[in-house]
Amino acid sequence: MLQSVLVPLDGSEFSERSLPVARTIARATGAAMHLAHVHIPYEPDHLLSNTQFHFEGLDMDEYDSRHRESERRYLTRLATEFAEEGTPTQPALLEGSNVANELASYAERVRPDLMVITTHGHNPVSRLWLGSTADAMVRSTHIPILAIHPDRPGAAPAEVLSFNHIFVPLDRSAMAEAVLPPAVELAKATGARLTLGHFISVPSIFGARTSGLQSQNLEPVMLAAEEYLESMAREISREGLQADFVVEAAEDPSEAIARLAGELDADLIAIATHGYGGVKRVVMGSVADAVLRATPLPLLVMRPKYQAE
């Protein structure tokens, strides 16, 4: 059951686009909300291009103090609005030079069941698919993160964002299945139905080599996948939710996930990720990375605990 939701904010209208869906979830579940902003001391932006003589007579500590107080009032105003609507809301002004680290430490203290965050949609060659802060959060926490990228072409406007159909790709691994509990809880909160999907590799040609599953072996593998998904859907239906499933053959799972989610008219994809960073991430690759780059849909992404190190 969702009992608390964390929403990181940076004071911008863009970051606040996560608030409508967070509010919807909190209202439906009775969850408390945590609004977090990281204060980073900095010199006045309008003075950065000036010479050092323009700083004479300016008390930088006083300037930073005013800036910090402005951020505190900003969080308090939002928290008061939500509290007046009946949602217990805790504002938190954090301090530090590394936004992701401070948010991760705060999340470890309050232990939310879900984090809702907006993120810019980077181009296909960018490895930082969630943006640097959210990307770091995925790799440093095990909290399910609902990532919304409203600046993507085809993305739903924040004011009409709702979840009616959640698509959950599974590969029959325990890691992939780890995203099911938060996906189910989110479905309960929003009244969404779920579709479970599994993609089977088909032969693909690379020069003189042929890789993938031979066509004569495809039918029994697909039948086994259908049995697996049917059993998973049956378990979900016991939670009072509608759950369907689909099995497809595909050369590129990430492309197939994004395509099928669109064909099914899903408005959210839920997927687990290994959350690797650095060289290991480049070498190993990540289906979650590729999916988020390929779709305008929000993603519920989670790094399971046993995949941490």
Side-chain angles (χ1 to χ4, degrees), residues 69-148:
E69 184 56 32
S70 175
E71 293 171 331
R72 193 183 308 280
R73 289 197 302 270
Y74 164 73
L75 287 176
T76 300
R77 174 179 60 80
L78 289 175
T80 300
E81 291 177 3
F82 294 139
E84 289 175 349
E85 295 173 356
T87 300
T89 306
Q90 178 65 46
L93 183 60
L94 312 175
E95 301 272 347
S97 58
N98 188 300
V99 173
N101 286 349
E102 295 306 320
L103 287 173
S105 296
Y106 180 71
E108 182 65 25
R109 293 197 301 273
V110 302
R111 297 185 179 278
D113 300 300
L114 179 69
M115 185 184 305
V116 184
I117 189 169
T118 49
T119 174
H120 290 281
H122 288 250
N123 61 50
V125 299
S126 173
R127 188 168 59 84
L128 297 179
W129 43 265
L130 283 178
S132 58
T133 298
D135 178 73
M137 293 298 294
V138 170
R139 291 185 281 111
S140 61
T141 74
H142 309 292
I143 299 167
I145 296 177
L146 178 53
I148 302 167

Side-chain angles (χ1 to χ4, degrees), residues 17-18 20-21 24 116 146 148 150 155-163 267 298:
R17 295 185 191 182
S18 60
V21 66
T24 297
V116 184
L146 178 53
I148 302 167
E159 60 270 17
V160 299
L161 187 64
S162 62
F163 302 130
D267 41 38

